[in-house]
Amino acid sequence: MTLVKHVLNAKGRKVHVISPNALVFEALRMMADTNVGSLVVMEGEKLVGIVTERHYARQIALMGRTSSETSVADIMSTHVACVRPDHSVEECMAIMTKRGVRHLPVLERGRVVGIVSIGDMVNSVISDQQFVIEQLEQFIHGGR
């Protein structure tokens, strides 16, 4: 069973962070520059929210607001679903499905130590399935 800590070991533990006081435009620029779809919103060491491209689309673009005049705090989610490094990929996928989210900050002893996305989860499942297929092929060909 693949755990979040295994996914983080493979992809890295880099977390892109922004302040709730930052402008949405800054958040968009950071997401574009770092090629990510979400930013963890922190006040010091405290996780206070998450902001995603979806927040921008639904709360700025569709509401007629401007990203250069709206703060991250005005659009971020404050009820953030989080996981621990010992959660399984399957548990993460269930949480993502139930909560309708695509990104989960990873907390260890109250500190953000990484973030996983739905893409990370899918890649992990595909990798696990590929391993099983290779093992079965070796078993079949080795048995001839």
Side-chain angles (χ1 to χ4, degrees):
M1 176 184 338
T2 303
L3 303 177
V4 169
K5 65 183 172 185
H6 302 134
V7 173
L8 291 179
N9 288 342
K11 75 170 256 184
R13 295 175 180 263
K14 176 79 174 149
V15 179
H16 301 284
V17 175
I18 196 157
S19 164
N21 300 321
L23 294 175
V24 171
F25 184 83
E26 295 172 57
L28 291 172
R29 169 76 65 208
M30 187 182 297
M31 284 189 257
D33 290 348
T34 57
N35 196 32
V36 297
S38 71
L39 300 173
V40 174
V41 184
M42 305 275 291
E43 284 184 333
E45 295 291 315
K46 183 180 178 195
L47 172 68
V48 295
I50 191 166
V51 64
T52 67
E53 294 166 328
R54 184 183 283 182
H55 289 112
Y56 169 76
R58 293 183 180 179
Q59 297 184 37
I60 298 292
L62 290 178
M63 303 297 282
R65 297 163 133 177
T66 64
S67 59
S68 60
E69 296 177 354
T70 306
S71 73
V72 168
D74 291 335
I75 69 166
M76 69 183 188
S77 289
T78 56
H79 299 290
V80 183
C82 298
V83 294
R84 296 181 315 275
D86 62 345
H87 271 97
S88 70
V89 166
E90 291 79 10
E91 289 171 315
C92 291
M93 292 178 80
I95 292 167
M96 289 173 166
T97 301
K98 183 177 180 180
R99 297 280 305 267
V101 298
R102 298 175 184 205
H103 304 89
L104 296 172
V106 181
L107 299 181
E108 190 169 37
R109 292 184 216 102
R111 286 187 39 243
V112 177
V113 296
I115 189 164
V116 292
S117 70
I118 189 67
D120 298 328
M121 301 298 98
V122 170
N123 287 336
S124 176
V125 169
I126 290 170
S127 177
D128 288 349
Q129 289 175 346
Q130 185 62 40
F131 176 76
V132 170
I133 290 167
E134 289 170 4
Q135 294 299 307
L136 289 171
E137 286 175 342
Q138 286 180 6
F139 177 76
I140 291 168
H141 295 300
R144 287 185 187 184

PDB file of all heavy atoms in Angstrom, residues 104-142:
ATOM      1  N   LEU A 104      -4.417  18.377  -1.210  1.00  0.00           N
ATOM      2  CA  LEU A 104      -4.447  18.122   0.228  1.00  0.00           C
ATOM      3  C   LEU A 104      -3.099  18.476   0.849  1.00  0.00           C
ATOM      4  O   LEU A 104      -2.087  17.826   0.543  1.00  0.00           O
ATOM      5  CB  LEU A 104      -4.729  16.639   0.510  1.00  0.00           C
ATOM      6  CG  LEU A 104      -6.075  16.078   0.076  1.00  0.00           C
ATOM      7  CD1 LEU A 104      -6.094  14.566   0.252  1.00  0.00           C
ATOM      8  CD2 LEU A 104      -7.208  16.725   0.875  1.00  0.00           C
ATOM      9  N   PRO A 105      -3.071  19.493   1.706  1.00  0.00           N
ATOM     10  CA  PRO A 105      -1.841  19.732   2.458  1.00  0.00           C
ATOM     11  C   PRO A 105      -1.560  18.530   3.364  1.00  0.00           C
ATOM     12  O   PRO A 105      -2.481  17.878   3.854  1.00  0.00           O
ATOM     13  CB  PRO A 105      -2.160  20.975   3.290  1.00  0.00           C
ATOM     14  CG  PRO A 105      -3.274  21.647   2.546  1.00  0.00           C
ATOM     15  CD  PRO A 105      -4.078  20.520   1.957  1.00  0.00           C
ATOM     16  N   VAL A 106      -0.281  18.259   3.561  1.00  0.00           N
ATOM     17  CA  VAL A 106       0.139  17.149   4.413  1.00  0.00           C
ATOM     18  C   VAL A 106       0.698  17.753   5.698  1.00  0.00           C
ATOM     19  O   VAL A 106       1.621  18.570   5.659  1.00  0.00           O
ATOM     20  CB  VAL A 106       1.213  16.280   3.714  1.00  0.00           C
ATOM     21  CG1 VAL A 106       1.611  15.113   4.605  1.00  0.00           C
ATOM     22  CG2 VAL A 106       0.706  15.804   2.355  1.00  0.00           C
ATOM     23  N   LEU A 107       0.106  17.354   6.829  1.00  0.00           N
ATOM     24  CA  LEU A 107       0.521  17.870   8.129  1.00  0.00           C
ATOM     25  C   LEU A 107       1.192  16.785   8.945  1.00  0.00           C
ATOM     26  O   LEU A 107       0.749  15.638   8.968  1.00  0.00           O
ATOM     27  CB  LEU A 107      -0.680  18.393   8.925  1.00  0.00           C
ATOM     28  CG  LEU A 107      -1.494  19.536   8.332  1.00  0.00           C
ATOM     29  CD1 LEU A 107      -2.625  19.918   9.274  1.00  0.00           C
ATOM     30  CD2 LEU A 107      -0.622  20.735   8.056  1.00  0.00           C
ATOM     31  N   GLU A 108       2.269  17.185   9.616  1.00  0.00           N
ATOM     32  CA  GLU A 108       2.959  16.297  10.548  1.00  0.00           C
ATOM     33  C   GLU A 108       3.233  17.113  11.808  1.00  0.00           C
ATOM     34  O   GLU A 108       3.917  18.136  11.739  1.00  0.00           O
ATOM     35  CB  GLU A 108       4.247  15.782   9.919  1.00  0.00           C
ATOM     36  CG  GLU A 108       4.899  14.676  10.721  1.00  0.00           C
ATOM     37  CD  GLU A 108       6.012  14.017   9.919  1.00  0.00           C
ATOM     38  OE1 GLU A 108       6.731  14.705   9.178  1.00  0.00           O
ATOM     39  OE2 GLU A 108       6.152  12.789  10.052  1.00  0.00           O
ATOM     40  N   ARG A 109       2.667  16.666  12.914  1.00  0.00           N
ATOM     41  CA  ARG A 109       2.781  17.393  14.185  1.00  0.00           C
ATOM     42  C   ARG A 109       2.363  18.856  14.036  1.00  0.00           C
ATOM     43  O   ARG A 109       2.999  19.763  14.555  1.00  0.00           O
ATOM     44  CB  ARG A 109       4.193  17.286  14.743  1.00  0.00           C
ATOM     45  CG  ARG A 109       4.545  15.871  15.206  1.00  0.00           C
ATOM     46  CD  ARG A 109       5.921  15.817  15.848  1.00  0.00           C
ATOM     47  NE  ARG A 109       6.548  14.566  15.500  1.00  0.00           N
ATOM     48  CZ  ARG A 109       7.488  14.415  14.565  1.00  0.00           C
ATOM     49  NH1 ARG A 109       7.949  15.444  13.896  1.00  0.00           N
ATOM     50  NH2 ARG A 109       7.988  13.231  14.312  1.00  0.00           N
ATOM     51  N   GLY A 110       1.293  19.078  13.267  1.00  0.00           N
ATOM     52  CA  GLY A 110       0.748  20.417  13.105  1.00  0.00           C
ATOM     53  C   GLY A 110       1.468  21.302  12.099  1.00  0.00           C
ATOM     54  O   GLY A 110       1.062  22.437  11.874  1.00  0.00           O
ATOM     55  N   ARG A 111       2.524  20.797  11.484  1.00  0.00           N
ATOM     56  CA  ARG A 111       3.287  21.576  10.502  1.00  0.00           C
ATOM     57  C   ARG A 111       3.021  21.064   9.093  1.00  0.00           C
ATOM     58  O   ARG A 111       2.922  19.850   8.867  1.00  0.00           O
ATOM     59  CB  ARG A 111       4.794  21.455  10.775  1.00  0.00           C
ATOM     60  CG  ARG A 111       5.258  22.236  11.979  1.00  0.00           C
ATOM     61  CD  ARG A 111       6.781  22.240  12.152  1.00  0.00           C
ATOM     62  NE  ARG A 111       7.522  22.348  10.909  1.00  0.00           N
ATOM     63  CZ  ARG A 111       8.350  21.414  10.443  1.00  0.00           C
ATOM     64  NH1 ARG A 111       8.550  20.289  11.098  1.00  0.00           N
ATOM     65  NH2 ARG A 111       8.999  21.593   9.302  1.00  0.00           N
ATOM     66  N   VAL A 112       2.933  21.980   8.140  1.00  0.00           N
ATOM     67  CA  VAL A 112       2.771  21.592   6.740  1.00  0.00           C
ATOM     68  C   VAL A 112       4.113  21.064   6.236  1.00  0.00           C
ATOM     69  O   VAL A 112       5.113  21.773   6.273  1.00  0.00           O
ATOM     70  CB  VAL A 112       2.308  22.790   5.878  1.00  0.00           C
ATOM     71  CG1 VAL A 112       2.216  22.378   4.418  1.00  0.00           C
ATOM     72  CG2 VAL A 112       0.974  23.341   6.367  1.00  0.00           C
ATOM     73  N   VAL A 113       4.113  19.800   5.785  1.00  0.00           N
ATOM     74  CA  VAL A 113       5.358  19.169   5.320  1.00  0.00           C
ATOM     75  C   VAL A 113       5.296  18.795   3.840  1.00  0.00           C
ATOM     76  O   VAL A 113       6.242  18.222   3.309  1.00  0.00           O
ATOM     77  CB  VAL A 113       5.713  17.928   6.166  1.00  0.00           C
ATOM     78  CG1 VAL A 113       5.996  18.321   7.607  1.00  0.00           C
ATOM     79  CG2 VAL A 113       4.620  16.870   6.083  1.00  0.00           C
ATOM     80  N   GLY A 114       4.189  19.121   3.190  1.00  0.00           N
ATOM     81  CA  GLY A 114       4.046  18.811   1.774  1.00  0.00           C
ATOM     82  C   GLY A 114       2.628  19.047   1.329  1.00  0.00           C
ATOM     83  O   GLY A 114       1.769  19.482   2.113  1.00  0.00           O
ATOM     84  N   ILE A 115       2.386  18.770   0.067  1.00  0.00           N
ATOM     85  CA  ILE A 115       1.039  18.856  -0.495  1.00  0.00           C
ATOM     86  C   ILE A 115       0.937  17.803  -1.585  1.00  0.00           C
ATOM     87  O   ILE A 115       1.903  17.558  -2.317  1.00  0.00           O
ATOM     88  CB  ILE A 115       0.717  20.271  -1.019  1.00  0.00           C
ATOM     89  CG1 ILE A 115      -0.760  20.388  -1.398  1.00  0.00           C
ATOM     90  CG2 ILE A 115       1.643  20.664  -2.151  1.00  0.00           C
ATOM     91  CD1 ILE A 115      -1.241  21.823  -1.557  1.00  0.00           C
ATOM     92  N   VAL A 116      -0.216  17.152  -1.661  1.00  0.00           N
ATOM     93  CA  VAL A 116      -0.445  16.164  -2.714  1.00  0.00           C
ATOM     94  C   VAL A 116      -1.673  16.583  -3.511  1.00  0.00           C
ATOM     95  O   VAL A 116      -2.602  17.182  -2.981  1.00  0.00           O
ATOM     96  CB  VAL A 116      -0.613  14.731  -2.157  1.00  0.00           C
ATOM     97  CG1 VAL A 116       0.702  14.223  -1.572  1.00  0.00           C
ATOM     98  CG2 VAL A 116      -1.724  14.634  -1.127  1.00  0.00           C
ATOM     99  N   SER A 117      -1.637  16.237  -4.796  1.00  0.00           N
ATOM    100  CA  SER A 117      -2.735  16.586  -5.692  1.00  0.00           C
ATOM    101  C   SER A 117      -3.397  15.325  -6.215  1.00  0.00           C
ATOM    102  O   SER A 117      -2.861  14.220  -6.089  1.00  0.00           O
ATOM    103  CB  SER A 117      -2.215  17.415  -6.866  1.00  0.00           C
ATOM    104  OG  SER A 117      -1.435  16.595  -7.720  1.00  0.00           O
ATOM    105  N   ILE A 118      -4.539  15.507  -6.850  1.00  0.00           N
ATOM    106  CA  ILE A 118      -5.219  14.371  -7.460  1.00  0.00           C
ATOM    107  C   ILE A 118      -4.325  13.746  -8.531  1.00  0.00           C
ATOM    108  O   ILE A 118      -4.291  12.532  -8.691  1.00  0.00           O
ATOM    109  CB  ILE A 118      -6.602  14.772  -8.029  1.00  0.00           C
ATOM    110  CG1 ILE A 118      -7.401  13.547  -8.472  1.00  0.00           C
ATOM    111  CG2 ILE A 118      -6.476  15.773  -9.148  1.00  0.00           C
ATOM    112  CD1 ILE A 118      -7.826  12.635  -7.357  1.00  0.00           C
ATOM    113  N   GLY A 119      -3.545  14.565  -9.231  1.00  0.00           N
ATOM    114  CA  GLY A 119      -2.599  14.038 -10.223  1.00  0.00           C
ATOM    115  C   GLY A 119      -1.550  13.146  -9.594  1.00  0.00           C
ATOM    116  O   GLY A 119      -1.191  12.102 -10.150  1.00  0.00           O
ATOM    117  N   ASP A 120      -1.061  13.549  -8.412  1.00  0.00           N
ATOM    118  CA  ASP A 120      -0.091  12.716  -7.691  1.00  0.00           C
ATOM    119  C   ASP A 120      -0.705  11.366  -7.333  1.00  0.00           C
ATOM    120  O   ASP A 120      -0.047  10.328  -7.424  1.00  0.00           O
ATOM    121  CB  ASP A 120       0.377  13.403  -6.405  1.00  0.00           C
ATOM    122  CG  ASP A 120       1.079  14.710  -6.637  1.00  0.00           C
ATOM    123  OD1 ASP A 120       1.750  14.867  -7.681  1.00  0.00           O
ATOM    124  OD2 ASP A 120       0.960  15.594  -5.756  1.00  0.00           O
ATOM    125  N   MET A 121      -1.972  11.398  -6.917  1.00  0.00           N
ATOM    126  CA  MET A 121      -2.649  10.163  -6.517  1.00  0.00           C
ATOM    127  C   MET A 121      -2.841   9.241  -7.725  1.00  0.00           C
ATOM    128  O   MET A 121      -2.576   8.035  -7.651  1.00  0.00           O
ATOM    129  CB  MET A 121      -4.007  10.470  -5.875  1.00  0.00           C
ATOM    130  CG  MET A 121      -3.948  11.351  -4.633  1.00  0.00           C
ATOM    131  SD  MET A 121      -3.018  10.632  -3.252  1.00  0.00           S
ATOM    132  CE  MET A 121      -1.424  11.414  -3.434  1.00  0.00           C
ATOM    133  N   VAL A 122      -3.279   9.807  -8.842  1.00  0.00           N
ATOM    134  CA  VAL A 122      -3.477   9.009 -10.053  1.00  0.00           C
ATOM    135  C   VAL A 122      -2.152   8.423 -10.532  1.00  0.00           C
ATOM    136  O   VAL A 122      -2.077   7.237 -10.872  1.00  0.00           O
ATOM    137  CB  VAL A 122      -4.152   9.854 -11.156  1.00  0.00           C
ATOM    138  CG1 VAL A 122      -4.148   9.126 -12.494  1.00  0.00           C
ATOM    139  CG2 VAL A 122      -5.579  10.225 -10.749  1.00  0.00           C
ATOM    140  N   ASN A 123      -1.098   9.226 -10.534  1.00  0.00           N
ATOM    141  CA  ASN A 123       0.217   8.717 -10.946  1.00  0.00           C
ATOM    142  C   ASN A 123       0.684   7.584 -10.051  1.00  0.00           C
ATOM    143  O   ASN A 123       1.275   6.607 -10.521  1.00  0.00           O
ATOM    144  CB  ASN A 123       1.247   9.845 -10.948  1.00  0.00           C
ATOM    145  CG  ASN A 123       1.056  10.800 -12.098  1.00  0.00           C
ATOM    146  OD1 ASN A 123       0.484  10.451 -13.116  1.00  0.00           O
ATOM    147  ND2 ASN A 123       1.533  12.017 -11.925  1.00  0.00           N
ATOM    148  N   SER A 124       0.412   7.693  -8.754  1.00  0.00           N
ATOM    149  CA  SER A 124       0.795   6.642  -7.815  1.00  0.00           C
ATOM    150  C   SER A 124       0.042   5.341  -8.107  1.00  0.00           C
ATOM    151  O   SER A 124       0.635   4.260  -8.122  1.00  0.00           O
ATOM    152  CB  SER A 124       0.539   7.096  -6.375  1.00  0.00           C
ATOM    153  OG  SER A 124       0.827   6.057  -5.480  1.00  0.00           O
ATOM    154  N   VAL A 125      -1.254   5.447  -8.349  1.00  0.00           N
ATOM    155  CA  VAL A 125      -2.063   4.266  -8.652  1.00  0.00           C
ATOM    156  C   VAL A 125      -1.578   3.617  -9.947  1.00  0.00           C
ATOM    157  O   VAL A 125      -1.421   2.394 -10.027  1.00  0.00           O
ATOM    158  CB  VAL A 125      -3.561   4.631  -8.732  1.00  0.00           C
ATOM    159  CG1 VAL A 125      -4.380   3.482  -9.309  1.00  0.00           C
ATOM    160  CG2 VAL A 125      -4.090   5.015  -7.351  1.00  0.00           C
ATOM    161  N   ILE A 126      -1.312   4.431 -10.964  1.00  0.00           N
ATOM    162  CA  ILE A 126      -0.819   3.893 -12.240  1.00  0.00           C
ATOM    163  C   ILE A 126       0.517   3.187 -12.039  1.00  0.00           C
ATOM    164  O   ILE A 126       0.738   2.097 -12.568  1.00  0.00           O
ATOM    165  CB  ILE A 126      -0.706   5.017 -13.290  1.00  0.00           C
ATOM    166  CG1 ILE A 126      -2.101   5.489 -13.711  1.00  0.00           C
ATOM    167  CG2 ILE A 126       0.099   4.551 -14.503  1.00  0.00           C
ATOM    168  CD1 ILE A 126      -2.098   6.749 -14.550  1.00  0.00           C
ATOM    169  N   SER A 127       1.405   3.781 -11.265  1.00  0.00           N
ATOM    170  CA  SER A 127       2.707   3.184 -10.996  1.00  0.00           C
ATOM    171  C   SER A 127       2.553   1.845 -10.279  1.00  0.00           C
ATOM    172  O   SER A 127       3.218   0.858 -10.627  1.00  0.00           O
ATOM    173  CB  SER A 127       3.551   4.148 -10.162  1.00  0.00           C
ATOM    174  OG  SER A 127       4.781   3.567  -9.826  1.00  0.00           O
ATOM    175  N   ASP A 128       1.666   1.807  -9.279  1.00  0.00           N
ATOM    176  CA  ASP A 128       1.427   0.555  -8.549  1.00  0.00           C
ATOM    177  C   ASP A 128       0.867  -0.516  -9.479  1.00  0.00           C
ATOM    178  O   ASP A 128       1.279  -1.683  -9.421  1.00  0.00           O
ATOM    179  CB  ASP A 128       0.465   0.786  -7.376  1.00  0.00           C
ATOM    180  CG  ASP A 128       1.088   1.563  -6.239  1.00  0.00           C
ATOM    181  OD1 ASP A 128       2.328   1.768  -6.238  1.00  0.00           O
ATOM    182  OD2 ASP A 128       0.329   2.007  -5.343  1.00  0.00           O
ATOM    183  N   GLN A 129      -0.068  -0.125 -10.343  1.00  0.00           N
ATOM    184  CA  GLN A 129      -0.660  -1.086 -11.267  1.00  0.00           C
ATOM    185  C   GLN A 129       0.377  -1.585 -12.269  1.00  0.00           C
ATOM    186  O   GLN A 129       0.400  -2.776 -12.605  1.00  0.00           O
ATOM    187  CB  GLN A 129      -1.861  -0.477 -11.991  1.00  0.00           C
ATOM    188  CG  GLN A 129      -3.053  -0.277 -11.084  1.00  0.00           C
ATOM    189  CD  GLN A 129      -4.211   0.430 -11.762  1.00  0.00           C
ATOM    190  OE1 GLN A 129      -4.064   1.002 -12.836  1.00  0.00           O
ATOM    191  NE2 GLN A 129      -5.367   0.388 -11.126  1.00  0.00           N
ATOM    192  N   GLN A 130       1.237  -0.699 -12.731  1.00  0.00           N
ATOM    193  CA  GLN A 130       2.289  -1.095 -13.675  1.00  0.00           C
ATOM    194  C   GLN A 130       3.234  -2.103 -13.027  1.00  0.00           C
ATOM    195  O   GLN A 130       3.644  -3.073 -13.651  1.00  0.00           O
ATOM    196  CB  GLN A 130       3.065   0.127 -14.168  1.00  0.00           C
ATOM    197  CG  GLN A 130       4.074  -0.187 -15.237  1.00  0.00           C
ATOM    198  CD  GLN A 130       3.444  -0.757 -16.499  1.00  0.00           C
ATOM    199  OE1 GLN A 130       2.388  -0.312 -16.942  1.00  0.00           O
ATOM    200  NE2 GLN A 130       4.083  -1.764 -17.072  1.00  0.00           N
ATOM    201  N   PHE A 131       3.539  -1.895 -11.748  1.00  0.00           N
ATOM    202  CA  PHE A 131       4.401  -2.829 -11.027  1.00  0.00           C
ATOM    203  C   PHE A 131       3.754  -4.215 -10.952  1.00  0.00           C
ATOM    204  O   PHE A 131       4.407  -5.237 -11.211  1.00  0.00           O
ATOM    205  CB  PHE A 131       4.693  -2.299  -9.621  1.00  0.00           C
ATOM    206  CG  PHE A 131       5.503  -3.243  -8.783  1.00  0.00           C
ATOM    207  CD1 PHE A 131       6.862  -3.394  -8.988  1.00  0.00           C
ATOM    208  CD2 PHE A 131       4.889  -3.995  -7.785  1.00  0.00           C
ATOM    209  CE1 PHE A 131       7.609  -4.277  -8.221  1.00  0.00           C
ATOM    210  CE2 PHE A 131       5.623  -4.889  -7.019  1.00  0.00           C
ATOM    211  CZ  PHE A 131       6.986  -5.025  -7.235  1.00  0.00           C
ATOM    212  N   VAL A 132       2.469  -4.260 -10.633  1.00  0.00           N
ATOM    213  CA  VAL A 132       1.755  -5.537 -10.540  1.00  0.00           C
ATOM    214  C   VAL A 132       1.733  -6.227 -11.906  1.00  0.00           C
ATOM    215  O   VAL A 132       1.972  -7.434 -12.005  1.00  0.00           O
ATOM    216  CB  VAL A 132       0.320  -5.321  -9.998  1.00  0.00           C
ATOM    217  CG1 VAL A 132      -0.510  -6.596 -10.138  1.00  0.00           C
ATOM    218  CG2 VAL A 132       0.359  -4.877  -8.548  1.00  0.00           C
ATOM    219  N   ILE A 133       1.486  -5.463 -12.952  1.00  0.00           N
ATOM    220  CA  ILE A 133       1.469  -6.031 -14.306  1.00  0.00           C
ATOM    221  C   ILE A 133       2.823  -6.642 -14.649  1.00  0.00           C
ATOM    222  O   ILE A 133       2.906  -7.768 -15.165  1.00  0.00           O
ATOM    223  CB  ILE A 133       1.067  -4.959 -15.341  1.00  0.00           C
ATOM    224  CG1 ILE A 133      -0.415  -4.609 -15.178  1.00  0.00           C
ATOM    225  CG2 ILE A 133       1.361  -5.428 -16.767  1.00  0.00           C
ATOM    226  CD1 ILE A 133      -0.850  -3.363 -15.929  1.00  0.00           C
ATOM    227  N   GLU A 134       3.896  -5.911 -14.345  1.00  0.00           N
ATOM    228  CA  GLU A 134       5.241  -6.421 -14.624  1.00  0.00           C
ATOM    229  C   GLU A 134       5.522  -7.696 -13.835  1.00  0.00           C
ATOM    230  O   GLU A 134       6.115  -8.648 -14.374  1.00  0.00           O
ATOM    231  CB  GLU A 134       6.283  -5.348 -14.316  1.00  0.00           C
ATOM    232  CG  GLU A 134       6.271  -4.192 -15.301  1.00  0.00           C
ATOM    233  CD  GLU A 134       7.128  -3.019 -14.857  1.00  0.00           C
ATOM    234  OE1 GLU A 134       7.815  -3.116 -13.808  1.00  0.00           O
ATOM    235  OE2 GLU A 134       7.104  -1.992 -15.559  1.00  0.00           O
ATOM    236  N   GLN A 135       5.091  -7.727 -12.582  1.00  0.00           N
ATOM    237  CA  GLN A 135       5.292  -8.929 -11.767  1.00  0.00           C
ATOM    238  C   GLN A 135       4.524 -10.114 -12.335  1.00  0.00           C
ATOM    239  O   GLN A 135       5.044 -11.243 -12.389  1.00  0.00           O
ATOM    240  CB  GLN A 135       4.885  -8.662 -10.315  1.00  0.00           C
ATOM    241  CG  GLN A 135       5.749  -7.646  -9.595  1.00  0.00           C
ATOM    242  CD  GLN A 135       7.191  -8.098  -9.508  1.00  0.00           C
ATOM    243  OE1 GLN A 135       7.484  -9.196  -9.058  1.00  0.00           O
ATOM    244  NE2 GLN A 135       8.102  -7.245  -9.966  1.00  0.00           N
ATOM    245  N   LEU A 136       3.295  -9.867 -12.753  1.00  0.00           N
ATOM    246  CA  LEU A 136       2.486 -10.948 -13.332  1.00  0.00           C
ATOM    247  C   LEU A 136       3.080 -11.438 -14.648  1.00  0.00           C
ATOM    248  O   LEU A 136       3.103 -12.648 -14.913  1.00  0.00           O
ATOM    249  CB  LEU A 136       1.045 -10.480 -13.543  1.00  0.00           C
ATOM    250  CG  LEU A 136       0.221 -10.280 -12.266  1.00  0.00           C
ATOM    251  CD1 LEU A 136      -1.108  -9.617 -12.586  1.00  0.00           C
ATOM    252  CD2 LEU A 136       0.006 -11.605 -11.552  1.00  0.00           C
ATOM    253  N   GLU A 137       3.576 -10.520 -15.462  1.00  0.00           N
ATOM    254  CA  GLU A 137       4.210 -10.918 -16.726  1.00  0.00           C
ATOM    255  C   GLU A 137       5.449 -11.773 -16.464  1.00  0.00           C
ATOM    256  O   GLU A 137       5.674 -12.778 -17.155  1.00  0.00           O
ATOM    257  CB  GLU A 137       4.580  -9.684 -17.548  1.00  0.00           C
ATOM    258  CG  GLU A 137       3.386  -9.010 -18.184  1.00  0.00           C
ATOM    259  CD  GLU A 137       3.737  -7.713 -18.900  1.00  0.00           C
ATOM    260  OE1 GLU A 137       4.835  -7.142 -18.640  1.00  0.00           O
ATOM    261  OE2 GLU A 137       2.914  -7.263 -19.714  1.00  0.00           O
ATOM    262  N   GLN A 138       6.248 -11.393 -15.472  1.00  0.00           N
ATOM    263  CA  GLN A 138       7.431 -12.187 -15.133  1.00  0.00           C
ATOM    264  C   GLN A 138       7.031 -13.573 -14.640  1.00  0.00           C
ATOM    265  O   GLN A 138       7.657 -14.575 -14.986  1.00  0.00           O
ATOM    266  CB  GLN A 138       8.262 -11.469 -14.068  1.00  0.00           C
ATOM    267  CG  GLN A 138       9.023 -10.291 -14.603  1.00  0.00           C
ATOM    268  CD  GLN A 138       9.840  -9.601 -13.518  1.00  0.00           C
ATOM    269  OE1 GLN A 138       9.933 -10.067 -12.388  1.00  0.00           O
ATOM    270  NE2 GLN A 138      10.448  -8.468 -13.883  1.00  0.00           N
ATOM    271  N   PHE A 139       5.966 -13.626 -13.850  1.00  0.00           N
ATOM    272  CA  PHE A 139       5.487 -14.912 -13.351  1.00  0.00           C
ATOM    273  C   PHE A 139       5.025 -15.808 -14.498  1.00  0.00           C
ATOM    274  O   PHE A 139       5.370 -16.985 -14.568  1.00  0.00           O
ATOM    275  CB  PHE A 139       4.344 -14.693 -12.366  1.00  0.00           C
ATOM    276  CG  PHE A 139       3.727 -15.958 -11.847  1.00  0.00           C
ATOM    277  CD1 PHE A 139       4.373 -16.725 -10.893  1.00  0.00           C
ATOM    278  CD2 PHE A 139       2.504 -16.386 -12.334  1.00  0.00           C
ATOM    279  CE1 PHE A 139       3.800 -17.900 -10.428  1.00  0.00           C
ATOM    280  CE2 PHE A 139       1.936 -17.559 -11.896  1.00  0.00           C
ATOM    281  CZ  PHE A 139       2.587 -18.322 -10.927  1.00  0.00           C
ATOM    282  N   ILE A 140       4.255 -15.204 -15.419  1.00  0.00           N
ATOM    283  CA  ILE A 140       3.734 -15.980 -16.538  1.00  0.00           C
ATOM    284  C   ILE A 140       4.862 -16.457 -17.445  1.00  0.00           C
ATOM    285  O   ILE A 140       4.933 -17.625 -17.812  1.00  0.00           O
ATOM    286  CB  ILE A 140       2.709 -15.131 -17.338  1.00  0.00           C
ATOM    287  CG1 ILE A 140       1.449 -14.920 -16.501  1.00  0.00           C
ATOM    288  CG2 ILE A 140       2.373 -15.796 -18.685  1.00  0.00           C
ATOM    289  CD1 ILE A 140       0.504 -13.871 -17.052  1.00  0.00           C
ATOM    290  N   HIS A 141       5.773 -15.569 -17.796  1.00  0.00           N
ATOM    291  CA  HIS A 141       6.859 -15.933 -18.705  1.00  0.00           C
ATOM    292  C   HIS A 141       7.890 -16.834 -18.011  1.00  0.00           C
ATOM    293  O   HIS A 141       8.526 -17.648 -18.666  1.00  0.00           O
ATOM    294  CB  HIS A 141       7.551 -14.683 -19.271  1.00  0.00           C
ATOM    295  CG  HIS A 141       6.628 -13.867 -20.135  1.00  0.00           C
ATOM    296  ND1 HIS A 141       6.038 -14.374 -21.266  1.00  0.00           N
ATOM    297  CD2 HIS A 141       6.193 -12.587 -20.016  1.00  0.00           C
ATOM    298  CE1 HIS A 141       5.294 -13.438 -21.829  1.00  0.00           C
ATOM    299  NE2 HIS A 141       5.363 -12.344 -21.089  1.00  0.00           N
ATOM    300  N   GLY A 142       8.035 -16.687 -16.743  1.00  0.00           N
ATOM    301  CA  GLY A 142       8.982 -17.509 -15.986  1.00  0.00           C
ATOM    302  C   GLY A 142       8.460 -18.921 -15.781  1.00  0.00           C
ATOM    303  O   GLY A 142       9.219 -19.844 -15.549  1.00  0.00           O
TER     304      GLY A 142
END
